Coordinates of all heavy atoms in Angstrom, one line a residue:
E66 N -5.6 3.2 13.0 CA -6.9 3.6 12.7 C -7.1 5.1 12.7 O -7.7 5.8 12.0 CB -7.9 3.0 13.6 CG -9.4 3.3 13.2 CD -9.7 2.9 11.7 OE1 -9.2 2.0 11.2 OE2 -10.6 3.7 11.2
A67 N -6.4 5.8 13.8 CA -6.5 7.2 13.9 C -5.8 7.9 12.8 O -6.3 8.9 12.3 CB -5.9 7.6 15.2
A68 N -4.7 7.4 12.4 CA -4.0 7.9 11.2 C -4.8 7.8 9.9 O -4.8 8.8 9.1 CB -2.6 7.3 11.1
R69 N -5.4 6.7 9.7 CA -6.2 6.5 8.5 C -7.5 7.5 8.5 O -7.7 8.2 7.5 CB -6.8 5.1 8.5 CG -5.8 4.0 8.2 CD -6.3 2.7 8.3 NE -5.4 1.6 8.0 CZ -5.5 0.4 8.3 NH1 -6.6 -0.1 9.0 NH2 -4.7 -0.5 8.0
R70 N -8.1 7.7 9.6 CA -9.2 8.7 9.6 C -8.6 10.1 9.4 O -9.4 10.8 8.7 CB -9.9 8.7 11.0 CG -10.7 7.3 11.3 CD -11.7 7.5 12.4 NE -11.0 8.0 13.7 CZ -10.6 7.0 14.6 NH1 -10.7 5.8 14.4 NH2 -9.9 7.5 15.6
G71 N -7.6 10.5 10.0 CA -7.0 11.7 9.7 C -6.7 12.0 8.3 O -6.9 13.0 7.7
A72 N -6.1 11.0 7.6 CA -5.7 11.1 6.2 C -7.0 11.2 5.3 O -7.0 12.0 4.4 CB -4.8 9.9 5.8
A73 N -8.0 10.4 5.7 CA -9.3 10.4 5.0 C -9.9 11.8 5.1 O -10.7 12.2 4.1 CB -10.1 9.3 5.4
A74 N -9.9 12.4 6.1 CA -10.4 13.7 6.3 C -9.9 14.8 5.4 O -10.5 15.8 5.2 CB -10.4 14.0 7.8
T75 N -8.7 14.6 4.9 CA -8.1 15.6 4.0 C -8.7 15.5 2.6 O -8.5 16.5 1.8 CB -6.6 15.3 3.9 OG1 -6.3 14.0 3.3 CG2 -5.8 15.5 5.3
V76 N -9.5 14.5 2.3 CA -10.1 14.3 1.0 C -11.1 15.5 0.6 O -11.1 16.2 -0.4 CB -10.7 13.1 0.8 CG1 -11.5 13.1 -0.6 CG2 -9.7 11.9 0.9
G77 N -11.8 15.8 1.6 CA -12.8 16.7 1.3 C -12.6 18.2 1.9 O -13.3 19.2 1.7
A78 N -11.4 18.4 2.5 CA -11.0 19.6 3.1 C -10.2 20.4 2.1 O -9.6 20.0 1.0 CB -10.0 19.4 4.3
V79 N -10.1 21.8 2.3 CA -9.3 22.7 1.5 C -8.0 22.9 2.3 O -7.9 23.3 3.3 CB -10.0 24.1 1.2 CG1 -9.1 24.9 0.4 CG2 -11.2 23.8 0.5
A80 N -6.9 22.5 1.6 CA -5.5 22.5 2.2 C -5.2 24.0 2.6 O -5.3 24.9 1.7 CB -4.5 21.9 1.4
R81 N -4.6 24.3 3.7 CA -4.1 25.6 4.1 C -2.6 25.7 4.2 O -2.1 26.7 4.4 CB -4.7 26.0 5.4 CG -6.2 26.2 5.4 CD -6.7 26.9 6.6 NE -6.7 25.9 7.7 CZ -7.8 25.1 8.1 NH1 -8.8 25.1 7.4 NH2 -7.6 24.3 9.1
R82 N -1.9 24.6 4.1 CA -0.5 24.5 4.1 C -0.1 23.5 3.0 O -0.8 22.7 2.6 CB 0.0 24.1 5.4 CG -0.1 25.1 6.5 CD 0.7 26.3 6.4 NE 0.7 27.4 7.4 CZ -0.3 28.2 7.6 NH1 -1.2 28.3 6.6 NH2 -0.3 29.0 8.6
G83 N 1.2 23.5 2.6 CA 1.8 22.6 1.6 C 1.5 23.0 0.3 O 0.7 24.0 0.0
R84 N 1.9 22.2 -0.8 CA 1.8 22.5 -2.3 C 0.2 22.5 -2.5 O -0.2 23.4 -3.4 CB 2.5 21.5 -3.0 CG 4.0 21.6 -2.9 CD 4.5 22.8 -3.7 NE 5.9 23.0 -3.5 CZ 6.8 22.4 -4.2 NH1 6.5 21.5 -5.2 NH2 8.0 22.7 -4.0
A85 N -0.5 21.7 -2.0 CA -1.9 21.7 -2.2 C -2.7 23.0 -1.9 O -3.7 23.2 -2.5 CB -2.7 20.5 -1.5
S86 N -2.1 23.7 -1.1 CA -2.7 25.0 -0.6 C -2.8 26.0 -1.7 O -3.7 26.9 -1.9 CB -2.2 25.6 0.6 OG -0.9 26.0 0.2
Y87 N -1.9 25.8 -2.8 CA -1.9 26.8 -3.9 C -3.1 26.4 -4.8 O -3.4 27.3 -5.6 CB -0.5 26.6 -4.6 CG 0.5 26.9 -3.9 CD1 1.8 26.1 -3.9 CD2 0.7 28.0 -3.0 CE1 2.8 26.4 -3.1 CE2 1.8 28.4 -2.3 CZ 2.9 27.5 -2.4 OH 4.1 27.8 -1.6
L88 N -3.6 25.2 -4.7 CA -4.6 24.8 -5.7 C -6.0 25.1 -5.2 O -7.0 25.1 -5.9 CB -4.5 23.3 -6.0 CG -3.3 22.8 -6.7 CD1 -3.3 21.4 -6.9 CD2 -3.1 23.6 -8.0
G89 N -6.2 25.4 -3.9 CA -7.4 25.7 -3.2 C -8.4 24.6 -3.4 O -8.1 23.4 -3.2
E90 N -9.6 24.8 -3.8 CA -10.7 23.8 -4.0 C -10.3 22.8 -5.1 O -11.0 21.8 -5.1 CB -12.0 24.5 -4.2 CG -12.4 25.4 -3.1 CD -13.7 26.1 -3.4 OE1 -14.3 25.9 -4.5 OE2 -14.4 26.7 -2.5
R91 N -9.5 23.3 -6.0 CA -9.1 22.2 -7.0 C -8.5 21.1 -6.5 O -8.5 19.8 -7.2 CB -8.2 22.8 -8.1 CG -8.9 24.0 -8.8 CD -7.8 24.7 -9.8 NE -7.2 23.8 -10.7 CZ -6.2 24.1 -11.5 NH1 -5.6 25.3 -11.5 NH2 -5.8 23.2 -12.4
A92 N -7.9 21.1 -5.3 CA -7.2 19.9 -4.7 C -8.2 19.0 -4.0 O -7.9 17.9 -3.5 CB -6.1 20.3 -3.8
Q93 N -9.4 19.5 -3.7 CA -10.5 18.6 -3.1 C -10.8 17.3 -3.8 O -10.7 17.4 -5.1 CB -11.7 19.4 -2.8 CG -11.6 20.4 -1.8 CD -13.0 21.2 -1.5 OE1 -13.5 21.7 -2.4 NE2 -13.5 21.2 -0.3
G94 N -11.0 16.3 -3.1 CA -11.3 15.0 -3.7 C -10.1 14.1 -3.7 O -10.3 12.9 -4.0
Y95 N -8.9 14.5 -3.2 CA -7.8 13.7 -3.1 C -7.2 13.7 -1.7 O -7.2 14.9 -1.1 CB -6.7 14.2 -4.1 CG -7.1 14.2 -5.5 CD1 -7.6 15.3 -6.1 CD2 -7.1 13.1 -6.3 CE1 -8.0 15.4 -7.5 CE2 -7.5 13.0 -7.7 CZ -8.0 14.2 -8.2 OH -8.3 14.2 -9.5
P96 N -6.8 12.7 -1.2 CA -6.1 12.8 0.2 C -4.8 13.5 0.0 O -4.1 13.4 -1.0 CB -6.0 11.3 0.6 CG -5.9 10.5 -0.8 CD -6.8 11.4 -1.7
D97 N -4.4 14.0 1.2 CA -3.1 14.6 1.3 C -1.9 13.6 1.1 O -2.0 12.6 1.9 CB -2.8 15.4 2.5 CG -1.4 16.0 2.6 OD1 -1.1 16.9 1.8 OD2 -0.6 15.5 3.3
P98 N -1.1 13.6 0.2 CA 0.0 12.6 0.0 C 0.9 12.4 1.2 O 1.2 11.3 1.5 CB 0.8 13.1 -1.2 CG -0.2 13.9 -1.9 CD -0.9 14.7 -0.9
G99 N 1.1 13.5 1.8 CA 2.0 13.4 3.0 C 1.3 12.6 4.2 O 1.9 11.8 4.9
A100 N 0.0 12.8 4.3 CA -0.7 12.2 5.4 C -0.9 10.6 5.0 O -0.8 9.8 5.9 CB -2.2 12.7 5.5
V101 N -1.0 10.4 3.7 CA -1.0 9.0 3.2 C 0.3 8.2 3.5 O 0.3 7.1 4.0 CB -1.4 8.9 1.8 CG1 -1.3 7.4 1.3 CG2 -2.8 9.3 1.6
A102 N 1.4 9.0 3.3 CA 2.8 8.4 3.6 C 2.9 8.0 5.1 O 3.4 7.0 5.4 CB 3.8 9.3 3.2
V103 N 2.4 8.9 6.0 CA 2.3 8.5 7.4 C 1.7 7.3 7.7 O 2.1 6.4 8.4 CB 1.9 9.7 8.2 CG1 1.6 9.3 9.7 CG2 2.8 10.9 8.1
V104 N 0.4 7.1 7.0 CA -0.4 5.9 7.3 C 0.5 4.7 6.8 O 0.3 3.7 7.5 CB -1.7 6.1 6.4 CG1 -2.5 4.7 6.4 CG2 -2.6 7.2 7.0
R105 N 1.0 4.8 5.7 CA 1.7 3.5 5.2 C 2.9 3.1 6.0 O 3.0 2.0 6.3 CB 2.3 3.9 3.8 CG 1.2 4.2 2.7 CD 0.2 3.0 2.4 NE -0.9 3.2 1.7 CZ -2.2 3.4 2.0 NH1 -2.4 3.3 3.4 NH2 -3.1 3.8 1.2
W106 N 3.7 4.0 6.6 CA 4.9 3.5 7.3 C 4.2 3.1 8.7 O 4.8 2.2 9.4 CB 6.0 4.5 7.4 CG 5.9 5.8 7.8 CD1 5.8 7.0 7.1 CD2 5.8 6.3 9.2 NE1 5.8 8.0 7.9 CE2 5.7 7.6 9.1 CE3 5.9 5.6 10.4 CZ2 5.7 8.5 10.4 CZ3 5.8 6.4 11.7 CH2 5.8 7.8 11.6
L107 N 3.3 3.9 9.2 CA 2.7 3.5 10.5 C 2.1 1.9 10.5 O 2.2 1.2 11.3 CB 1.6 4.4 11.0 CG 2.1 5.7 11.8 CD1 0.9 6.7 12.0 CD2 2.8 5.3 13.1
E108 N 1.3 1.7 9.4 CA 0.8 0.4 9.1 C 1.8 -0.7 9.2 O 1.7 -1.8 9.8 CB 0.0 0.4 7.8 CG -1.2 1.1 7.7 CD -1.9 1.2 6.4 OE1 -1.1 1.0 5.4 OE2 -3.1 1.4 6.2

C-alpha cells in the first residue's frame, strides 16, 4: 500500500530526475513507470 501511494503521487508531480524530467510539466498526469514497476513486483 505504501508503494502504491508513492507511485500514485508521481502523477501530479513534476519529475526532477530520470527521462521524465526533460519533459517538465508535459509529463504530469502519468505515473512514473519506474515506480509502477516497483509496485508490480512488490505486489
